[in-house]
Amino acid sequence: MKTVEEIKAAIEAAVPGAGVEFVSNPSASAQHSLRIAPQSAVAVAKFLRDDADLAFDFLSNVTGVDWPDKEIAEKVKVMRWVTKTVDGPDGQKVDQPVEETVEETRKRIESGCLEVVYHLYSVGKKHGPLVLRMRTVNRTDQVDLPSLTPVWRSAELQEREVFDLYGVVFGGHPDLRRLLMWDGFKDHPMRRDYVEPDDFEYEPTPHDEVLKRAQERENREQRTEGPRDRGLAAG
Amino acid sequence: MTVVENKAERAEGWNRPQVIEPDGEGELLEVAMGPHHPSTHGVFRMDVALDGERVVRLKPVFGYLHRNHEKIAEGASYLASMPYTDRLDYFCSLTNNWAYALAVEKLVGQVVPERAEYIRVILAELTRVQNHASSIGFLIQEMGASGTPLMYAFKEREKILDLFESLTGSRMMCNYMRFGGCRVDVSASWLDATRKVVAGLPAFVDEFEALLSSNEILMARCQGVGILRPELAINAGVSGPMLRGSGVNYDVRKVDHYGIYDRFKFRIPLGDHGDIYDRYMVRILEMRESIKIIEQALRDLPAGPIMDTRAKLRGFRPKPGEAYGRIEAPKGELGFYLISDGGLNPYRYRVRPPSLINLTILEDMCLGHNVADVVLIFGSVDIVLGEVDR
Amino acid sequence: MLGDGILKGMAETARNFFGSFVSDERLTTVEYPEQRIPTVEAARVFPFLVYDGANWEAGMRCVACQICEKECPPKCIYIEKSADKKPDFVGKQQFYPTRFDIDVSVCMSCQICVEVCPFEAIKMDTQFELATEDRFGGLLYDRKELSRSNEYYHSIHPTEAGEVDARLAEEKAKVEARAKAAAEAAAAKAAAAANPTQLAGGGS
């Protein structure tokens, strides 16, 4: 198999303006990947499938990854005027403005995104995996990506799963419905900021986070309807 | 009954299901097969539209057994996910263990000792034999032979499960493999018992074949039904005996040579027509090849340690990075995709479930057939709902 | 001839049917509550806590380190650490659990608690008939219900228990040897202190 860099060059030669980016993988597996621009994704996918040398005809795995918004705290050095009491020339204390370097922590929010990862193999040439990735603009309103189901049918159920659990909207998917959650369900459970509804029976030995949540509910219920005979009481 | 071929769509959407138009006499009948239907191997629903007896549309509905295995694993340590993998495809917990261990070993670059590799091969192939035997048993059960072939398969499966129990402590939830090796070593008595069971397996497959392979009813029901074209099978990511039943020579054991599979001599059985009978036959022949592999592995099993000395149980923190590891599980290509951020828990943990992806083309295989054949075609895919819904 | 295959299959079924009257090999099931298959040594059902000696409270090996609680995949273990300490099998002062609960309805018998325990304190039982009518109280085992003697452990997992005992004895011997060496050194020092004339040239 060609190396990932060679495949990148081949894609760039075949699909002008493909916007392919090499993503290095520092782990022992050394499965490096290519991040492709969403607008040229279908063209790139067709090239990878139909090119005689590459022939990635088998799309093995499709999955989503959630990269939430990150708050980045940076220490910045700032020059600032401060008033300081210094010894005056005649021995008296005098207030005087002095320029000083102060360290200041500034916070900024780095916008997160949803990522979809495709693992490709070739049945004919028996090589792989080639890892393709695509990113959405953000996690809230611009979550569209092109579907690769028209190119590889095996993406059909897996992209539905990513839509269901992560909320990536695949344009061009023939049948984009929820796969595992029911139709009326609102949220996307695999996102990292997903809060599960507090509607289940706690085990009798809650601890850690579950204990905290069980106690919160216990308190809430005591305020509203008095103690119940189930749940925490048994623990 | 006419098959509409939309020319414009054919160029683009050749891999989509055909559109079958009803013959116009009478109304379409919409049937929800499942979630509680004896043939669905669990809780699974197929919304079928019938024109008389013929299927004109079929939409599978998933999620009745969904428990978000992946989310649970992302909140647990790497080790704590190992027993959960048993519960994916609960017929083949040992191959699930192996696939997960393989992905983690790829992620951290661990080397597995020789002896552990041989033990893994023996256990995985025993798993394959018992899975194929019982999946054929279920298929015949759905054909109407209520019980007999299934009980023959279960009789043999019982012996293999006894071996699993005496080694791992549990019959089905084995939780046996660890990153960099296996949990406990095999004893001489266990190996003797295994040799005895394996010596009896060829006679069992012969008996099973005498019972079924030339049975006229089985042939009439299975041949020419549920045909899957090889190019569609590849395009739809179908793997395992389904893919090889369609005549595509692709077996991860031969392609990736994961573990030590390059040391064994075995062949890959392939089908000619891609119908149910070919899938049945591929499974029978795969059992025979698996028995050969087990015999070779038992013969060559070396002495030595069973765990990598650098392996760690507690406080296991892989370096940041990602890895995709896959094996040839009895149902198809089972893969695990892991992203590590250097912490105790995987940042992303993904299972590539062969059972779910093999169902992508269920509609394509069923269209135009009778409703009774849907049950058979579905049975020939060989799925376990624990893995489909995760 | 059409029907050959069916006849062949029928013959196979008949062979098995009549064979089951003469060969025990073909009988694979037993009548469960009356007849029992002996449990295998490696079998694992639910965990129990091992104690040494006769008193379960004094001899409990658990030191409430809470590693099993953290590693348990379904989080079914609940431990409260004591404020005071008691001596363990080598005589070292250790904490002990004032509360050790396992919810066996949540436990999935995976044996990870056993593997991660550095003190050989938690092991797997082979008892599986645990059905009860009370889901909350009956399936929640406290530390008294969970304690089993080391002799019981030997009776269900003889090989494994033998290895564990050997390991613990070795550790104890090591600790005792160290203590003995320390005591000898201390005695020598004390003797030296009591007899200062010997030190006269040492310039202490």
Side-chain angles (χ1 to χ4, degrees):
Chain A
M1 189 178 124
K2 287 181 176 176
T3 63
V4 180
E5 284 92 342
E6 284 164 2
I7 294 173
K8 177 173 181 272
I11 294 173
E12 276 165 348
V15 186
V20 189
E21 200 184 320
F22 178 80
V23 184
S24 160
N25 176 2
S27 85
S29 72
Q31 292 167 342
H32 307 297
S33 48
L34 294 175
R35 182 173 300 134
I36 51 177
Q39 61 274 9
S40 58
V42 176
V44 169
K46 278 201 178 131
F47 166 71
L48 289 174
R49 186 191 66 187
D50 298 333
D51 184 74
D53 274 349
L54 299 171
F56 284 107
D57 46 7
F58 190 83
L59 170 61
S60 172
N61 182 38
V62 182
T63 186
V65 186
D66 184 15
W67 301 101
D69 298 347
K70 248 197 275 184
E71 198 184 70
I72 295 179
E74 284 173 328
K75 289 218 164 121
V76 199
K77 284 200 172 136
V78 194
M79 298 289 267
R80 181 190 292 174
W81 288 98
V82 283
T83 313
K84 267 199 172 170
T85 313
V86 289
D87 290 333
D90 46 354
Q92 277 186 331
K93 302 268 180 197
V94 189
D95 283 352
Q96 202 186 323
V98 180
E99 198 182 22
E100 202 184 54
T101 328
V102 193
E103 267 207 351
E104 210 176 61
T105 317
R106 279 189 193 167
K107 284 182 181 165
R108 66 188 170 88
I109 304 270
E110 199 185 69
S111 168
C113 65
L114 299 168
E115 190 169 40
V116 185
V117 185
Y118 296 82
H119 286 84
L120 302 176
Y121 285 87
S122 171
V123 167
K125 303 264 174 195
K126 306 225 186 312
H127 59 220
L130 175 69
V131 192
L132 293 185
R133 331 175 78 94
M134 275 194 281
R135 284 192 165 183
T136 61
V137 179
N138 59 24
R139 301 171 70 244
T140 45
D141 50 347
Q142 286 171 286
V143 289
D144 300 280
L145 285 179
S147 166
L148 298 189
T149 306
V151 187
W152 292 289
R153 177 81 184 280
S154 67
E156 184 177 346
L157 293 181
Q158 302 190 71
E159 282 184 343
R160 270 177 70 185
E161 187 182 323
V162 174
F163 164 72
D164 183 0
L165 302 181
Y166 284 94
V168 179
V169 179
F170 290 97
H173 191 286
D175 184 23
L176 197 64
R177 291 176 290 137
R178 282 189 179 272
L179 182 81
L180 298 168
M181 305 305 281
W182 57 99
D183 285 335
F185 191 79
K186 285 281 179 297
D187 212 341
H188 303 292
M190 279 302 285
R191 288 202 184 186
R192 296 188 84 81
D193 50 4
Y194 171 74
V195 183
E196 51 196 295
D198 188 20
D199 59 355
F200 49 90
E201 184 187 78
Y202 287 105
E203 61 203 79
T205 52
H207 50 282
D208 299 344
E209 233 169 81
V210 186
L211 177 67
K212 220 164 44 192
R213 283 208 308 252
Q215 277 168 346
E216 273 166 22
R217 187 167 76 180
E218 188 90 342
N219 295 340
R220 210 164 50 230
E221 276 167 5
Q222 268 175 1
R223 274 203 304 277
T224 52
E225 56 193 74
R228 295 200 320 173
D229 55 341
R230 272 243 167 138
L232 244 202
Chain B
M1 175 71 49
T2 48
V3 176
V4 177
E5 277 197 18
N6 187 336
K7 282 270 156 54
E9 203 185 13
R10 183 146 176 89
E12 262 310 295
W14 64 274
N15 55 2
R16 304 299 311 159
Q18 309 167 311
V19 179
I20 295 190
E21 280 197 349
D23 54 12
E25 288 173 30
E27 285 175 28
L28 283 188
L29 181 66
E30 297 208 354
V31 184
M33 281 180 76
H36 298 286
H37 189 280
S39 79
T40 56
H41 299 223
V43 275
F44 173 77
R45 195 173 100 214
M46 292 174 270
D47 284 344
V48 191
L50 298 173
D51 178 31
E53 271 282 308
R54 281 184 194 276
V55 178
V56 296
R57 198 175 66 239
L58 185 145
K59 294 282 172 221
V61 180
F62 305 91
Y64 290 98
L65 213 56
H66 181 53
R67 55 206 183 275
N68 222 338
H69 170 75
E70 293 176 7
K71 187 95 179 173
I72 295 171
E74 283 170 20
S77 68
Y78 284 85
L79 174 64
S81 297
M82 187 58 92
Y84 283 120
T85 61
D86 292 338
R87 285 139 178 96
L88 284 170
D89 173 358
Y90 40 78
F91 262 77
C92 320
S93 62
L94 284 159
T95 47
N96 298 346
N97 284 180
W98 193 359
Y100 179 46
L102 189 84
V104 176
E105 280 153 11
K106 272 195 174 171
L107 184 65
V108 296
Q110 262 174 343
V111 185
V112 183
E114 288 263 301
R115 186 176 172 84
E117 291 276 25
Y118 274 90
I119 298 171
R120 285 180 176 190
V121 168
I122 295 169
L123 292 172
E125 296 305 321
L126 281 173
T127 306
R128 196 180 315 277
V129 171
Q130 59 98 0
N131 176 75
H132 283 352
S134 32
S135 89
I136 293 170
F138 283 123
L139 175 70
I140 310 298
Q141 162 121 331
E142 282 153 11
M143 210 174 285
S146 56
T148 311
L150 181 62
M151 288 303 125
Y152 279 46
F154 266 43
K155 187 183 83 189
E156 213 56 31
R157 176 170 180 256
E158 197 59 29
K159 293 179 190 161
I160 294 173
L161 290 191
D162 282 346
L163 290 177
F164 291 171
E165 188 184 18
S166 62
L167 177 63
T168 71
S170 186
R171 299 162 64 77
M172 291 170 82
M173 304 296 138
C174 296
N175 182 22
Y176 178 68
M177 289 170 200
R178 292 287 175 268
F179 318 132
C182 298
R183 185 156 56 81
V184 285
D185 201 353
V186 295
S187 62
S189 60
W190 187 85
L191 287 173
D192 287 341
T194 310
R195 284 198 185 95
K196 208 175 142 214
V197 170
V198 173
L201 285 176
F204 157 73
V205 183
D206 289 343
E207 182 190 76
F208 213 47
E209 274 215 89
L211 191 65
L212 299 169
S213 287
S214 57
N215 187 305
E216 285 81 2
I217 303 173
L218 183 130
M219 289 195 210
R221 291 291 307 274
C222 292
Q223 290 180 346
V225 176
I227 292 175
L228 177 61
R229 285 174 293 128
E231 60 270 27
L232 179 64
I234 295 171
N235 192 265
V238 171
S239 51
M242 287 274 289
L243 183 65
R244 294 190 286 274
S246 293
V248 181
N249 186 354
Y250 194 72
D251 186 312
V252 182
R253 290 176 293 177
K254 285 274 189 199
V255 175
D256 281 13
H257 296 301
Y258 65 92
I260 45 162
Y261 271 112
D262 47 349
R263 297 185 193 175
F264 303 113
K265 278 182 83 175
F266 64 101
R267 292 178 301 167
I268 305 297
L270 298 176
D272 272 341
H273 310 94
D275 56 7
I276 300 179
Y277 193 79
D278 275 6
R279 277 168 228 146
Y280 158 81
M281 217 54 219
V282 163
R283 290 201 174 100
I284 291 270
L285 294 173
E286 270 189 18
M287 282 201 272
R288 294 192 186 277
E289 296 302 316
S290 287
I291 297 165
K292 278 189 212 161
I293 298 175
I294 303 169
E295 280 166 353
Q296 292 171 54
L298 282 171
R299 191 190 62 211
D300 301 343
L301 180 70
I306 52 156
M307 274 298 270
D308 186 4
T309 42
R310 290 171 303 147
K312 238 169 125 184
L313 263 186
R314 280 184 287 135
F316 182 77
R317 289 170 191 268
K319 287 197 193 91
E322 62 172 49
Y324 179 69
R326 58 172 193 165
I327 68 160
E328 182 72 34
K331 295 191 166 56
E333 176 194 328
L334 174 66
F336 279 81
Y337 173 58
L338 298 164
I339 301 182
S340 165
D341 60 352
L344 284 167
N345 307 347
Y347 183 83
R348 179 76 181 99
Y349 169 104
R350 150 85 177 166
V351 187
R352 186 243 187 233
S355 296
L356 172 74
I357 295 161
N358 286 357
L359 285 177
T360 311
I361 34 68
L362 183 64
E363 181 174 12
D364 305 63
M365 290 196 291
C366 291
L367 287 182
H369 286 297
N370 288 352
V371 67
D373 292 333
V374 170
V375 173
L376 278 191
I377 294 167
F378 180 71
S380 75
V381 181
D382 183 19
I383 61 149
V384 156
L385 261 297
E387 186 176 74
V388 172
D389 290 341
R390 279 158 297 134
Chain C
M1 190 190 87
L2 190 72
D4 265 2
I6 295 177
L7 286 177
K8 209 167 141 197
M10 290 290 193
E12 200 59 46
T13 321
R15 214 163 56 82
N16 267 280
F17 176 71
F18 292 110
S20 64
F21 287 98
V22 284
S23 155
D24 283 344
E25 275 281 288
R26 288 176 198 272
L27 293 174
T28 41
T29 52
V30 295
E31 306 273 328
Y32 160 60
E34 294 83 26
Q35 266 178 296
R36 278 156 190 277
I37 302 171
T39 49
V40 294
E41 207 188 311
R44 55 184 153 94
V45 184
F46 290 119
F48 67 89
L49 297 171
V50 190
Y51 65 85
D52 296 307
N55 185 339
W56 67 269
E57 216 168 351
M60 189 171 274
R61 284 185 190 167
C62 177
V63 300
C65 67
Q66 294 175 316
I67 289 172
C68 55
E69 186 182 8
K70 276 194 203 80
E71 292 286 336
C72 176
K75 306 277 178 218
C76 69
I77 305 178
Y78 182 57
I79 300 173
E80 269 172 25
K81 205 185 201 161
S82 63
D84 58 330
K85 292 186 175 184
K86 72 171 180 59
D88 67 354
F89 70 101
V90 294
K92 196 178 160 203
Q93 291 293 318
Q94 296 272 23
F95 290 108
Y96 60 93
T98 52
R99 190 171 154 185
F100 196 115
D101 294 340
I102 294 182
D103 186 349
V104 295
S105 64
V106 176
C107 174
M108 59 183 195
S109 316
C110 65
Q111 211 180 9
I112 280 184
C113 51
V114 178
E115 277 170 68
V116 299
C117 180
F119 301 94
E120 313 283 2
I122 188 164
K123 296 290 166 196
M124 293 309 271
D125 208 338
T126 51
Q127 176 62 32
F128 57 88
E129 286 152 321
L130 304 162
T132 165
E133 290 171 351
D134 179 8
R135 182 252 180 272
F136 281 99
L139 290 174
L140 181 65
Y141 289 4
D142 64 13
R143 61 192 182 125
K144 184 163 189 296
E145 286 167 295
L146 286 169
S147 339
R148 299 276 186 285
S149 67
N150 198 19
E151 287 73 51
Y152 176 77
Y153 179 36
H154 272 275
S155 71
I156 54 171
H157 302 301
T159 326
E160 192 191 303
E163 281 165 16
V164 167
D165 271 11
R167 209 152 47 224
L168 290 178
E170 194 185 326
E171 202 176 311
K172 192 170 179 181
K174 229 185 260 168
V175 169
E176 272 169 359
R178 218 180 301 140
K180 207 175 156 197
E184 271 169 11
K189 208 174 173 189
N195 196 356
T197 52
Q198 282 187 350
L199 284 173
S204 59

